[in-house]
Amino acid sequence: MSACWQILKKDKEMLVFPLVSGLCCLLVMASFAVPLYFTNSWQPPKSGAATAQQALYYGTLFLFYLCNYFVVIFFNCAIVACAAIRMGGGDPTVSDGFRAAASRLPAIAGWALVSATVGLVLRIIEERSEKVGRFVAGLLGMGWTVVSYLVVPILVVENKGGLTALKESTQLLKKTWGEQLAGNFSFGFLFLCLGIPAYALVILGIVSGNVAAAALCIALAVLYLIVLALVQSALHSIFQAAVYLYARQGQVPDGFQAEFLSEAMVRK
């Protein structure tokens, strides 16, 4: 994370991408949530519900996944493109990221379609049986996350389609780390620890008994958590680019250590 942070410090403008991505995702959510709420169609259909009702619900859910994945993948591509330029010795700009992502629109749309399909299938499995379904969907989801980990860098750097990129990602991971892989990295716990001051600030505001103070503390805490989320998203995409360069070219970007990249994946 420290190595990724050094790259982000050189190109702070990369934070624009997760920020705009988050705003676009909120707009996508609102565009679906508001009509569903007022039509009372947001609840999953019960067992034995009419086919038309199930088709409407899951069809709408699929469209939501498709739009959301498209937004997320587009801006992830932009960050990865900038990170790859920086690791290659260049000096990327925001326009470089947008230009790279825009030039891959067909591939991004195709990969969003695949991701939405997988997401819908996992959701259906989860809803069929609350406990068993959730467990099975969780296992399948983790496996999907690993095999598709290098898809976005391959889309951006090699300009390949979604399915081809998925095949390349699987083969590249297998070639570099072997079979039966599991992710051996996560920034989540570190950022959970970094988020503790925000939760402490909320508690402090509540126990103060002053409404104005509590509102200010909550506002500052929310702002702090938003900044943390933006930084975490950017660092994760930078690390994704570093892992790709290591796996594809055997290149260890400046600031990174071969030991850390070689242990990004481990055999289960």
Side-chain angles (χ1 to χ4, degrees):
M1 190 174 77
S2 176
C4 295
W5 173 251
Q6 295 305 315
I7 291 179
L8 184 59
K9 284 202 302 183
K10 295 177 182 177
D11 301 289
K12 301 180 184 67
E13 62 271 16
M14 281 198 282
L15 290 174
V16 169
F17 300 122
L19 174 61
V20 179
S21 176
L23 293 175
C24 290
C25 286
L26 287 176
L27 290 175
V28 170
M29 182 181 296
S31 67
F32 280 86
V34 173
L36 288 175
Y37 177 79
F38 284 105
T39 58
N40 199 29
S41 303
W42 57 274
Q43 293 182 333
K46 296 180 180 180
S47 179
T51 304
Q53 182 182 356
Q54 294 190 42
L56 177 62
Y57 173 79
Y58 288 113
T60 303
L61 188 61
F62 174 77
L63 289 176
F64 169 72
Y65 282 164
L66 180 62
C67 295
N68 203 60
Y69 275 118
F70 180 86
V71 169
V72 172
I73 294 168
F74 178 88
F75 288 100
N76 280 353
C77 284
I79 299 177
V80 169
C82 289
I85 292 173
R86 170 59 65 183
M87 293 175 192
D91 185 15
T93 62
V94 172
S95 60
D96 289 329
F98 277 117
R99 191 180 303 113
S103 67
R104 307 292 192 268
L105 280 180
I108 291 173
W111 183 237
L113 182 63
V114 174
S115 300
T117 302
V118 173
L120 181 64
V121 170
L122 294 178
R123 180 63 177 269
I124 292 174
I125 292 174
E126 183 178 341
E127 289 181 352
R128 291 303 178 188
S129 176
E130 185 174 348
K131 293 183 179 180
V132 177
R134 187 173 300 173
F135 176 75
V136 173
L139 288 179
L140 293 175
M142 286 189 292
W144 173 254
T145 299
V146 171
V147 299
S148 63
Y149 188 72
L150 298 179
V151 167
V152 168
I154 292 173
L155 282 179
V156 175
V157 179
E158 303 180 19
N159 196 18
K160 294 183 177 179
L163 293 178
T164 302
L166 178 61
K167 181 180 178 181
E168 288 285 334
S169 175
T170 305
Q171 293 176 345
L172 199 54
L173 290 169
K174 181 179 178 181
K175 176 184 176 182
T176 308
W177 288 282
E179 299 181 353
Q180 302 295 318
L181 297 177
N184 193 37
F185 56 89
S186 175
F187 295 160
F189 178 73
L190 293 173
F191 275 89
L192 179 64
C193 294
L194 290 173
I196 291 176
Y199 307 127
L201 190 61
V202 171
I203 295 174
L204 181 64
I206 293 175
V207 299
S208 69
N210 187 297
V211 176
L216 178 61
C217 288
I218 292 174
L220 291 174
V222 169
L223 180 61
Y224 176 71
L225 290 175
I226 289 174
V227 172
L228 274 187
L230 295 178
V231 172
Q232 181 181 5
S233 177
L235 294 183
H236 181 269
S237 294
I238 292 171
F239 185 68
Q240 207 174 5
V243 171
Y244 163 76
L245 292 175
Y246 175 79
R248 174 62 84 190
Q249 304 173 7
Q251 173 186 344
V252 180
D254 291 339
F256 288 85
Q257 296 182 27
E259 177 187 359
F260 294 152
L261 295 176
S262 66
E263 295 178 356
M265 301 284 179
V266 294
R267 293 188 179 185
K268 289 189 293 186

